[in-house]
């Protein structure tokens, strides 16, 4: 599960940086548009913070994209935000035995 979390942070960090750069926005510019502090955006872009859903929603709005697109795979940008069962990564929690799936 830890690897999955690291993958999500890495993906989100890279995607956020790329979207911001594509729009020609500085950290300050995105902070102003999104209503999120410059330091929080910087932490997210470095993969050092786990932003709340509210912060992610503000960032998406500031970038003019959907929340789901923040997690989109560049190679599959037009793909559905939900993966088919056969394509979903799965894991089992070592302490709990809980079976989980990554749906997107």
């Amino acid at each position: 599960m830890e690897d999955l979390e690291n993958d999500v942070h890495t993906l989100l960090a890279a995607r956020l940086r790329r979207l911001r750069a594509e729009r020609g926005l500085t950290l300050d510019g995105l902070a102003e548009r999104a209503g999120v502090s410059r330091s929080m955006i910087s932490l997210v872009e470095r993969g050092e913070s786990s932003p709340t859903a509210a912060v992610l929603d503000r960032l998406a709005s500031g970038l003019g994209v959907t929340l789901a697109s923040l997690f989109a795979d560049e190679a599959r940008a037009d793909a559905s935000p939900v993966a088919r069962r056969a394509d979903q990564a799965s894991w089992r929690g070592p302490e709990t035995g809980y079976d989980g799936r990554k749906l997107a």
Side-chain angles (χ1 to χ4, degrees):
M1 178 119 163
E2 188 174 312
D3 288 339
L4 183 61
E5 287 177 15
N6 289 336
D7 289 346
V8 170
H9 289 172
T10 301
L11 172 69
L12 178 61
R15 182 79 169 136
L16 186 59
R17 277 192 311 272
R18 188 170 27 261
L19 289 169
R20 183 172 61 80
E22 287 172 358
R23 285 151 181 75
L25 292 170
T26 62
L27 286 171
D28 289 324
L30 179 55
E32 186 175 319
R33 287 177 66 167
V36 175
S37 74
R38 180 187 191 282
S39 62
M40 173 55 81
I41 297 168
S42 179
L43 287 169
V44 174
E45 285 190 358
R46 293 191 318 259
E48 297 176 6
S49 176
S50 296
T52 64
V55 168
L56 290 173
D57 186 53
R58 287 179 181 172
L59 291 172
S61 293
L63 291 165
V65 299
T66 65
L67 180 59
S69 72
L70 290 180
F71 300 95
D73 181 349
E74 286 297 312
R76 298 180 46 188
D78 62 340
S80 169
V82 179
R84 294 181 183 271
R85 183 173 178 84
D87 297 332
Q88 295 171 0
S90 63
W91 71 91
R92 178 179 292 267
E95 297 89 26
T96 64
Y98 174 80
D99 290 326
R101 293 193 170 278
K102 182 179 176 195
L103 300 180

